[in-house]
């Protein structure tokens, strides 16, 4: 039995197979519509979500399976003090696979240790968000035809943004990737990440101004300032609108640069950018369903059936 806690749980070769399967699903939805008949997915979300939970649910329904779960810790027995370890033992009696989001870093890992069904980390605190990373990688590969040989700017809250941490971890396994981290001083990417990049001789730059580096980017990965992870409201208010991507800034970028964002967006991308053909963040959401379908099949050992 296999779980997914980090994008690094899959080798690069395994990820290639997963993405091939996701692209086949994209082009042949009907072929997969009964693959999971009789199977159940449990979505155990202790933290709010729109995309991740609903795309997992859509993925299982697209595969012909069914879904149970909770979307709020307050409506589960966590509110009575039940531990994650006990909850997953119970969920294992009801479902075949579980996607779990939790505000505590490592909680899905604790669940996986006690589980008798595959557990997928659907986001744990400020730590990792592996299925968002799978979504990001599939989007890049599908829209550009390659993973590697590009310059990517990651902009916004690089301190608390778990999607950023997961994506950097995953991208360093591909050749010739140059990272440009764009953030205010207070929201810099954590030291453990820059140390890792230095150790592996992977080129990176840290800058504050987005305008200066726009012309060099192949991808711009925008992120929201994470209000829920700030210790005080004053700091959040001061930093929340530090970056706003608008038409003027887009005019500085390459004609084929792509803008990604894990969403939800607050103010960091002006809605006027949505009509720009380089805005790929809603396509990214659609790729999230295909890759989660491929992941469910793979973790259930049904990818070749
Ligand atoms: N990208 C993402 O994790 O969105 P949700 O918080 O809506 O799931």
């Amino acid at each position: 039995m296999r779980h997914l806690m980090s994008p690094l749980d899959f080798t690069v070769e395994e990820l290639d197979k997963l993405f091939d399967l996701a692209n086949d699903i994209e082009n042949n939805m009907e072929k997969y519509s009964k693959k999971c008949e009789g199977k159940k997915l449990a979505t155990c979300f202790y933290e709010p979500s729109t995309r991740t939970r609903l795309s997992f649910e859509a993925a299982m329904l697209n595969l012909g399976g069914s879904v149970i779960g909770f979307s709020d810790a307050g409506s589960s027995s966590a509110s009575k003090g039940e531990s994650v370890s006990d909850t997953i033992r119970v969920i294992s009696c009801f479902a075949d696979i579980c996607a779990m989001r939790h505000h505590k870093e490592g909680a899905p890992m604790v669940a996986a240790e006690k589980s008798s069904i595959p557990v997928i980390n659907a986001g744990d605190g400020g730590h990792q968000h592996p299925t968002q990373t799978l979504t990001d990688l599939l989007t890049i590969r599908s829209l550009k035809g390659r993973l590697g040989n590009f310059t990517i700017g990651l902009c916004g809250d690089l301190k608390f943004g778990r999607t950023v941490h997961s994506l950097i971890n995953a991208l360093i396994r591909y050749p010739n990737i140059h990272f440009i981290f764009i953030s205010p001083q207070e929201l810099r990417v954590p030291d453990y990440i820059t140390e890792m990049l230095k150790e592996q001789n992977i080129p990176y730059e840290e800058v504050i101004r987005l305008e200066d580096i726009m012309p060099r980017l192949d991808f711009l990965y925008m992120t929201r300032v994470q209000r829920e992870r700030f210790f005080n409201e004053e700091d959040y208010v001061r930093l929340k609108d530090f970056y706003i991507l608008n038409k003027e800034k887009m005019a500085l970028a390459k004609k084929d640069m792509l803008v990604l964002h894990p969403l939800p967006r607050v103010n960091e991308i002006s809605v006027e950018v949505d009509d720009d053909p380089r805005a790929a963040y809603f396509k990214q959401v659609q790729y999230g369903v295909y890759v989660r379908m491929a992941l469910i099949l793979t973790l259930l050992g049904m990818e070749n059936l």
Side-chain angles (χ1 to χ4, degrees):
M1 189 180 56
R2 219 171 161 181
H3 308 287
L4 179 75
M5 293 296 121
S6 150
L8 304 186
D9 292 352
F10 284 108
T11 64
V12 168
E13 292 72 29
E14 285 172 327
L15 284 183
D16 274 340
K17 274 194 192 164
L18 187 84
F19 298 146
D20 287 344
L21 177 58
N23 286 139
D24 193 56
I25 289 169
E26 174 186 5
N27 296 318
N28 304 285
M29 267 306 232
E30 191 51 38
K31 188 172 118 189
Y32 293 89
S33 64
K34 294 192 167 88
K35 290 276 185 194
C36 282
E37 266 183 355
K39 300 283 183 196
K40 289 194 200 78
L41 165 76
T43 52
C44 298
F45 276 58
Y46 296 81
E47 244 196 0
S49 167
T50 296
R51 269 146 300 278
T52 311
R53 185 172 65 83
L54 294 180
S55 69
F56 263 116
E57 297 189 1
M60 191 48 143
L61 296 173
N62 288 344
L63 291 166
S66 44
V67 178
I68 58 172
F70 55 86
S71 57
D72 169 18
S75 68
S76 79
S77 285
S79 63
K80 302 176 204 162
E82 185 168 59
S83 67
V84 162
S85 305
D86 282 0
T87 300
I88 194 66
R89 286 182 172 183
V90 171
I91 297 291
S92 297
C93 302
F94 304 149
D96 301 283
I97 185 165
C98 173
M100 178 179 287
R101 171 171 289 188
H102 206 288
H103 50 276
K104 282 199 186 140
E105 302 186 358
M109 176 79 87
V110 170
E113 280 165 9
K114 298 288 179 195
S115 180
S116 54
I117 59 174
V119 176
I120 300 166
N121 177 3
D124 61 328
H127 184 222
Q128 295 269 350
H129 192 346
T131 62
Q132 182 63 50
T133 302
L134 299 183
T135 301
D136 300 340
L137 296 179
L138 177 65
T139 306
I140 292 172
R141 198 184 88 142
S142 301
L143 298 182
K144 284 284 187 196
R146 66 180 193 279
L147 278 165
N149 303 312
F150 56 73
T151 296
I152 182 165
L154 297 116
C155 178
D157 184 349
L158 309 187
K159 179 179 179 183
F160 296 115
R162 60 191 173 200
T163 60
V164 168
H165 306 158
S166 276
L167 184 58
I168 297 168
N169 267 306
L171 282 176
I172 60 173
R173 299 194 293 180
Y174 295 95
N176 196 21
I177 299 209
H178 187 105
F179 292 99
I180 304 184
F181 301 132
I182 309 137
S183 73
Q185 189 63 22
E186 295 92 330
L187 297 178
R188 283 183 54 225
V189 73
D191 288 343
Y192 79 87
I193 291 186
T194 48
E195 291 304 321
M196 174 188 73
L197 295 175
K198 277 183 210 152
E199 272 166 28
Q200 301 193 32
N201 284 323
I202 294 169
Y204 74 89
E205 295 166 55
E206 291 186 274
V207 301
I208 295 177
R209 273 173 56 84
L210 177 58
E211 294 85 332
D212 297 345
I213 50 78
M214 278 299 271
R216 295 170 51 202
L217 302 179
D218 299 303
F219 293 95
L220 173 60
Y221 194 91
M222 292 297 294
T223 62
R224 156 183 83 91
V225 175
Q226 310 245 322
R227 180 180 209 155
E228 65 276 30
R229 314 229 185 269
F230 269 76
F231 294 112
N232 74 68
E233 181 74 6
E234 204 179 299
D235 284 349
Y236 169 72
V237 169
R238 186 167 51 81
L239 294 168
K240 71 183 172 65
D241 292 331
F242 203 91
Y243 299 106
I244 298 181
L245 182 66
N246 56 17
K247 273 189 176 171
E248 286 72 43
K249 292 193 186 88
M250 287 298 285
L252 303 170
K254 291 181 186 171
K255 295 275 175 281
D256 62 349
M257 185 200 75
L258 292 180
V259 183
L260 302 176
H261 190 312
L263 304 179
R265 143 178 73 184
V266 187
N267 284 330
E268 61 280 359
I269 302 180
S270 167
V271 289
E272 69 189 18
V273 176
D274 295 357
D275 295 331
D276 189 306
R278 296 169 291 181
Y281 30 92
F282 290 114
K283 282 186 199 151
Q284 200 177 343
V285 175
Q286 186 61 60
Y287 282 114
V289 178
Y290 303 138
V291 88
R292 288 184 176 97
M293 290 172 73
L295 180 66
I296 289 169
L297 288 171
T298 302
L299 293 183
L300 289 176
M302 301 171 73
E303 70 276 29
N304 297 319
L305 295 182

